[in-house]
Amino acid sequence: MEEYDIAIIGGGPAGIMAAIAASRTSCDVILLEKNSSLGRKLLLTGGGRCNITNGKPIKQLLNFFNNRNFLKHSFYSFTNEDLLSLFDFEFVCEDDDRIFPESGKSADVLNGLADLLDGVSISYNFEVKTISSDFVINDKLKANKIIIATGGVTYPQTGCSPENYSLTPQPVTDIRYGLSPLLTREDLSSVAGVNLRDVVISYKKSRVRGDVLLSHVGLTGPGIINLSNEISEVISYNILEGEPHLDLEIAIDLCPDFTREELLDRFSREFQNKGKTHLRNYLKSFLTGGFIDYFLNVVDLEGDLQLSRINKKSKNLLIENLKRFTFEITGFNSDLAKITIGGVDLSNVNSKTMESTLIPNLYFAGEVLDLHGPTGGYNLKIAFSTGFLAGLSAGLK
């Protein structure tokens, strides 16, 4: 049976960085990857451009995370400057301090990291199914220390799986989808591709302003993606116990710059002054053109109806739906969720080493931990910093 000082499970950003750091301590390191190549999820980040990190100062960066105290040591142990210095090419900083390789190619980042793995053994197509209490993996190899960097549950095509959380007895919080499109009960095929711009979406007390893109199966776009986190935070479910089936309603304010009273006043004036105008044409002042017929069908009004013929009841119906147009939500579009909410319970992990406080010589890094941030390079920052700290700590122990 082969034996190693350190075995790292998962060849994503956190696992690769852990391997780089561990190899610097002259340890015998093996990186186990279930796919035929490393970094599949890394290649997808930033729309294929790799939003490698966020350039905000660390003190400011930490304010974006609920678990800033846990992340503080890893962020200062491996800074943005440390990360970018690993590469022999330039980077550019874009809006919201997002940093990308100048080439715009995530493959350049992956290749640059791979070049630093010379001292690391890599085993491809190696799916870890069992880890014994004495760190024997799949009854094939043994390690003195193990680093778990298997990621979350999003992008399953990259190798992420809920089963990875059960590889060790380490306690795990509820696992939920974050930054996810939503599935609707309504068939939206007729309006797929329509973009509702700068609207306000609400669920109970949560309100988000942004664009909503209609798809064949539901709703997506920045506004919906952000609201999905709010929904995941307030409803109770755990992916490890099965896919969640939602039965809830969200409302969209299609005219957030007008109050109901302002709309009523405007309608009262204009329905008289423009009495021969058809309702369908009039609504172009308030709604995206491709959405108007769908909207009218839902509120059960004829598009060819002249404004002068619209009675008070129909006028109030229009106003109510412009201010509160609802969709029934049946689930998360899990295949397109961007992040995982939940993971290995941080209360049982030493933030200064990434080592389990329950199982000596077991370490965790990256999205497998109960850490997540917004989009914009924050999650890759977590992966690289916690991965480096885990690898270095395991190597020096």
Side-chain angles (χ1 to χ4, degrees):
M1 183 179 294
E2 296 181 44
E3 294 191 18
Y4 294 87
D5 294 321
I6 302 171
I8 300 166
I9 303 173
I16 293 173
M17 191 57 68
I20 292 171
S23 66
R24 292 180 175 180
T25 64
S26 301
C27 286
D28 193 9
V29 180
I30 186 168
L31 180 58
L32 307 175
E33 169 55 47
K34 71 187 298 185
N35 295 310
S36 58
S37 59
L38 299 175
R40 285 195 179 181
K41 193 170 183 179
L42 179 63
L43 292 174
L44 299 175
T45 58
R49 298 174 56 219
C50 190
N51 183 188
I52 188 170
T53 190
N54 190 283
K56 292 181 177 65
I58 293 177
K59 188 175 181 179
Q60 183 180 349
L61 200 60
L62 287 168
N63 289 329
F64 285 85
F65 300 92
N66 292 330
N67 299 295
R68 61 178 67 89
N69 289 333
F70 183 90
L71 286 167
K72 185 175 181 179
H73 190 79
S74 63
F75 276 23
Y76 278 104
S77 296
F78 190 68
T79 65
N80 282 336
E81 291 73 22
D82 295 327
L83 172 62
L84 301 183
S85 70
L86 298 177
F87 304 94
D88 59 2
F89 50 81
E90 297 299 317
F91 292 85
V92 294
C93 186
E94 299 185 1
D95 58 294
D96 194 33
D97 299 303
R98 297 179 303 156
I99 296 179
F100 296 86
E102 191 175 46
S103 66
K105 297 178 180 179
S106 56
D108 289 347
V109 173
L110 179 58
N111 292 336
L113 293 172
D115 289 342
L116 301 173
L117 292 172
D118 285 344
V120 177
S121 299
I122 305 176
S123 184
Y124 297 103
N125 301 307
F126 191 110
E127 182 177 359
V128 176
K129 295 183 177 180
T130 61
I131 302 174
S132 70
S133 58
D134 57 349
F135 289 1
V136 174
I137 301 173
N138 287 7
D139 297 324
K140 290 183 177 180
L141 62 89
K142 179 176 172 53
N144 294 324
K145 306 179 190 71
I146 288 179
I147 300 174
I148 305 288
T150 48
V153 296
T154 57
Y155 299 101
Q157 68 273 22
T158 65
C160 295
S161 169
E163 297 175 357
N164 292 331
Y165 293 102
S166 61
L167 290 175
T168 72
Q170 191 79 9
V172 176
T173 63
D174 286 350
I175 306 299
R176 293 162 288 161
Y177 295 117
L179 300 179
S180 171
L182 300 175
L183 303 175
T184 57
R185 193 178 308 282
E186 298 90 345
D187 180 2
L188 301 181
S189 300
S190 63
V191 285
V194 170
N195 196 0
L196 306 177
R197 298 188 182 280
D198 196 28
V199 295
V200 171
I201 317 105
S202 59
Y203 171 67
K204 293 188 176 180
K205 295 182 179 180
S206 299
R207 288 168 56 87
V208 174
R209 187 158 185 164
D211 292 358
V212 174
L213 178 64
L214 308 181
S215 73
H216 289 83
V217 296
L219 307 174
T220 185
I224 293 295
I225 296 297
N226 290 329
L227 184 70
S228 72
N229 267 23
E230 305 287 339
I231 294 174
S232 265
E233 294 286 0
V234 299
I235 66 174
S236 178
Y237 74 97
N238 186 354
I239 296 169
L240 302 185
E241 299 172 355
E243 284 292 316
H245 299 287
L246 307 184
D247 184 14
L248 56 89
E249 182 181 87
I250 66 169
I252 299 181
D253 184 346
L254 297 165
C255 300
D257 293 330
F258 296 92
T259 65
R260 283 176 168 79
E261 291 73 21
E262 288 170 338
L263 284 176
L264 178 59
D265 180 64
R266 181 168 174 173
F267 284 4
S268 298
R269 285 184 287 104
E270 295 185 346
F271 280 21
Q272 287 185 336
N273 298 336
K274 303 177 181 180
K276 292 185 178 180
T277 303
H278 290 168
L279 179 58
R280 179 185 293 106
N281 293 329
Y282 178 73
L283 287 177
K284 291 179 182 179
S285 299
F286 302 93
L287 300 175
T288 301
F291 186 68
I292 291 175
D293 282 340
Y294 179 85
F295 175 86
L296 288 171
N297 183 60
V298 171
V299 301
D300 196 23
L301 288 174
E302 295 294 331
D304 293 333
L305 187 64
Q306 291 184 335
L307 298 183
S308 61
R309 295 182 177 273
I310 297 177
N311 59 33
K312 182 178 180 181
K313 181 180 178 181
S314 296
K315 189 186 301 180
N316 290 334
L317 184 65
L318 277 172
I319 293 172
E320 178 59 27
N321 279 276
L322 285 171
K323 294 298 293 179
R324 194 178 187 280
F325 193 82
T326 61
F327 289 96
E328 293 182 50
I329 304 301
T330 60
F332 298 97
N333 193 339
S334 57
D335 289 341
L336 298 178
K338 293 185 178 182
I339 65 171
T340 301
I341 296 175
V344 172
D345 193 332
L346 301 182
S347 63
N348 301 304
V349 178
N350 184 338
S351 64
K352 294 185 177 180
T353 61
M354 296 295 126
E355 184 178 12
S356 167
T357 59
L358 304 176
I359 305 172
N361 299 318
L362 177 64
Y363 298 77
F364 296 91
E367 200 176 6
V368 72
L369 291 161
D370 184 12
L371 294 164
H372 70 275
T375 56
Y378 298 95
N379 288 312
L380 275 182
K381 170 63 178 172
I382 291 175
F384 288 130
S385 289
T386 59
F388 184 88
L389 182 58
L392 187 64
S393 301
L396 293 177
K397 183 176 179 181

